[in-house]
Amino acid sequence: VFSVMNYLLPKKGIFSMHCSANVGVDGDSAIFFGLSGTGKTTLSADPNRKLIGDDEHGWSDKGIFNIEGGCYAKCINLSKEHEPEIYGAIKFGALVENVVMDDETREFDFDDDSLTENTRVGYPVDYISNAELSGMAPTPKTVIFLTADAFGVLPPVSKLTSAQAMYHFISGYTAKVAGTEVGVKDPEATFSACFGGPFLAWHPAKYAELLADKLAKHGAQTWLVNTGWSGGAYGVGSRIKLKYTRAIIDAIHSGALEKVATVEDPVFGFAVPTSCPEVPADILQPRNTWSDKANFDDKARKVASLFRENFKKYEAGTSAEVRAAGPKL
């Protein structure tokens, strides 16, 4: 159904999106793009905001709307403390996959990854206590791209121009790590156009142009949020703490990050905030967290080259401005 919608909606000028969405008390909606394991479901299930949906939406000039009506969350290491909304949704009627359960107590062990790290739970959206059951919300002013950069070179948060938003939307970058996907033992870059390649019916540039049109028409700002590694690549560094990512998301929602001074990332060209409430300033510049600066520079150039190589297949359908918005080598 989503593939069909990806064909039909753009013909009507409606932007079809593989994303999650939520809305604040003031009607300030936000959308979250991201591939598996980046935190799309986790970060949109916010106790302070109403969930619209966690995977498939449309964006018209009247606002955004949910297409599906259900949620599908990863639940490895799930806890009531860190993800209360998702934890509370696991009740009669929810479908739990790949999670080890005690035969006698019938209790789940969410920390057990003996079957796979890719454990899941599916449930109706109304299992989230503060869901927006209309499935609709006003036009968003905030667009968030989520990536789990296992190479540890992307900043925890970056502010994107419209051209950069189109470039990174078309790229759809994250990294698979051991345990998340079958057969993956080491970090591996993966690109899925528009964060939903298998569902696309048109050239990715068509969806990127719809994104740019909505951003311009409604004055929305795009942010790239890295939920991956800091202080080194996977196996050396550590995953950015969820509480820091939540603080970053909160600062985006509140408008606090809009007012913060930024510096330009020398390789990727992002505007990187120099401070964020409740987040240590030193982790905002990823190079500062690496003990081996030369190794960081090599790794950043490697990731930049992967972006450029991947984007070659889309160059013919994109403008010179978008092509120029990619990383520099």
Side-chain angles (χ1 to χ4, degrees):
V1 170
F2 188 47
S3 296
V4 171
M5 296 296 268
N6 270 297
Y7 173 74
L8 295 175
L9 293 182
K11 293 181 72 173
K12 299 175 178 289
I14 299 172
F15 180 26
S16 53
M17 310 176 292
H18 185 213
C19 71
S20 61
N22 64 23
V23 61
V25 293
D26 297 326
D28 53 317
S29 67
I31 52 180
F32 301 75
F33 291 93
L35 301 177
S36 175
T38 59
K40 181 161 55 78
T41 300
T42 297
L43 294 168
S44 58
D46 188 325
N48 299 314
R49 297 169 64 84
K50 287 190 173 183
L51 179 72
I52 302 163
D54 86 328
D55 214 39
E56 300 166 10
H57 295 83
W59 182 351
S60 74
D61 288 336
K62 296 180 181 179
I64 55 176
F65 57 91
N66 179 251
I67 292 172
E68 63 202 322
C71 300
Y72 191 55
K74 286 176 69 71
C75 47
I76 189 68
N77 301 320
L78 180 68
S79 70
K80 186 175 183 179
E81 177 188 2
H82 295 297
E83 298 175 76
E85 297 296 322
I86 296 173
Y87 189 90
I90 301 179
K91 55 188 177 182
F92 186 81
L95 178 63
V96 180
E97 304 174 9
N98 300 327
V99 180
V100 173
M101 183 178 66
D102 188 289
D103 289 336
E104 294 185 6
T105 66
R106 312 295 286 176
E107 292 183 355
F108 294 115
D109 183 353
F110 295 116
D111 297 325
D112 190 328
D113 62 358
S114 58
L115 296 177
T116 175
E117 191 173 302
N118 196 19
T119 56
R120 295 278 184 167
V121 58
Y123 48 88
V125 71
D126 60 6
Y127 276 26
I128 294 291
S129 59
N130 60 338
E132 174 50 61
L133 297 183
S134 72
M136 298 184 288
T139 298
K141 292 296 169 70
T142 299
V143 176
I144 297 171
F145 295 165
L146 298 169
T147 184
D149 175 32
F151 296 99
V153 299
L154 293 185
V157 59
S158 307
K159 190 176 184 180
L160 307 186
T161 64
S162 177
Q164 288 173 335
M166 292 178 71
Y167 182 95
H168 286 277
F169 184 64
I170 291 173
S171 297
Y173 166 74
T174 193
K176 299 174 183 176
V177 296
T180 304
E181 303 288 343
V182 175
V184 178
K185 303 299 183 185
D186 298 310
E188 182 180 303
T190 185
F191 297 89
S192 184
C194 308
F195 298 99
F199 307 110
L200 304 185
W202 306 95
H203 189 287
K206 186 177 185 70
Y207 302 95
E209 287 163 4
L210 283 166
L211 169 64
D213 176 68
K214 302 302 182 192
L215 294 177
K217 189 174 292 183
H218 304 290
Q221 175 61 54
T222 304
W223 303 85
L224 178 66
V225 174
N226 176 23
T227 63
W229 274 255
S230 179
Y234 174 80
V236 176
S238 57
R239 189 88 188 245
I240 296 170
K241 292 181 179 179
L242 179 59
K243 68 177 182 178
Y244 294 155
T245 301
R246 285 200 184 280
I248 288 169
I249 299 296
D250 288 345
I252 290 173
H253 289 323
S254 70
L257 275 191
E258 279 284 356
K259 306 166 186 174
V260 170
T262 61
V263 294
E264 183 177 322
D265 185 286
V267 175
F268 295 94
F270 306 137
V272 182
T274 56
S275 65
C276 177
E278 308 301 323
V279 179
D282 60 332
I283 76 164
L284 296 176
Q285 305 295 327
R287 193 173 188 271
N288 293 343
T289 67
W290 285 55
S291 57
D292 188 338
K293 309 300 185 190
N295 190 17
F296 172 87
D297 294 338
D298 288 343
K299 197 71 72 175
R301 285 192 291 268
K302 175 183 177 179
V303 174
S305 66
L306 292 171
F307 267 96
R308 290 164 66 92
E309 184 63 30
N310 172 73
F311 204 80
K312 286 179 180 179
K313 64 175 78 83
Y314 307 119
E315 287 180 346
T318 56
S319 69
E321 183 184 15
V322 173
R323 294 195 298 270
K328 309 294 187 293
L329 287 174

